[in-house]
Amino acid sequence: MDIQYLMRQAKKMEQAMEQAREKLGELSVDAESGGGLVKVKMDGRHMVQRIELDPKAIDPNDKGLLEDLIAAAINAASEKASAAANESMNKATGGLKMPLQF
């Protein structure tokens, strides 16, 4: 087994992973809750880009419902962002499971 070859392959994989990590910020996912009353856009690094609230979701007498809808939309977006990030990293590593670091 050629150790130099293995080192070159490891360096290539490291570079591919770094490029994939950089592109996570360019990834974008959308999620919603309450039948579209709350919409969230998030990038692959789990940073919320935008929250959109339908005026029907804003009821001063039911603040808790709006809070629940926002949390649900953010959680849904986070799940989608994780799936998209994992897919991106799997492509970069050829399916080799590597931990994500943001």
Side-chain angles (χ1 to χ4, degrees):
M1 189 176 292
D2 183 5
I3 193 75
Q4 293 298 325
Y5 173 77
L6 291 175
M7 295 297 288
R8 284 191 303 272
Q9 291 302 102
K11 186 69 172 168
K12 283 181 186 179
M13 182 175 288
E14 183 180 354
Q15 290 170 342
M17 287 177 53
E18 184 58 35
Q19 288 173 345
R21 271 192 214 100
E22 288 174 12
K23 290 186 179 190
L24 290 178
E26 298 170 14
L27 247 160
S28 179
V29 297
D30 296 300
E32 62 181 49
S33 66
L37 292 175
V38 175
K39 297 178 182 179
V40 172
K41 180 181 281 285
M42 184 179 283
D43 71 14
R45 291 190 170 134
H46 295 248
M47 299 298 295
V48 174
Q49 304 295 308
R50 179 177 178 84
I51 296 177
E52 197 174 309
L53 303 175
D54 186 303
K56 291 181 250 174
I58 304 169
D59 179 357
N61 298 319
D62 199 356
K63 180 179 151 235
L65 175 63
L66 180 57
E67 291 170 345
D68 290 344
L69 290 174
I70 292 170
I74 289 172
N75 289 336
S78 181
E79 287 178 21
K80 286 184 175 184
S82 290
N86 285 333
E87 183 179 331
S88 176
M89 292 303 286
N90 283 339
K91 286 179 185 175
T93 63
L96 183 63
K97 301 289 184 196
M98 303 296 282
L100 280 177
Q101 298 172 351
F102 299 105

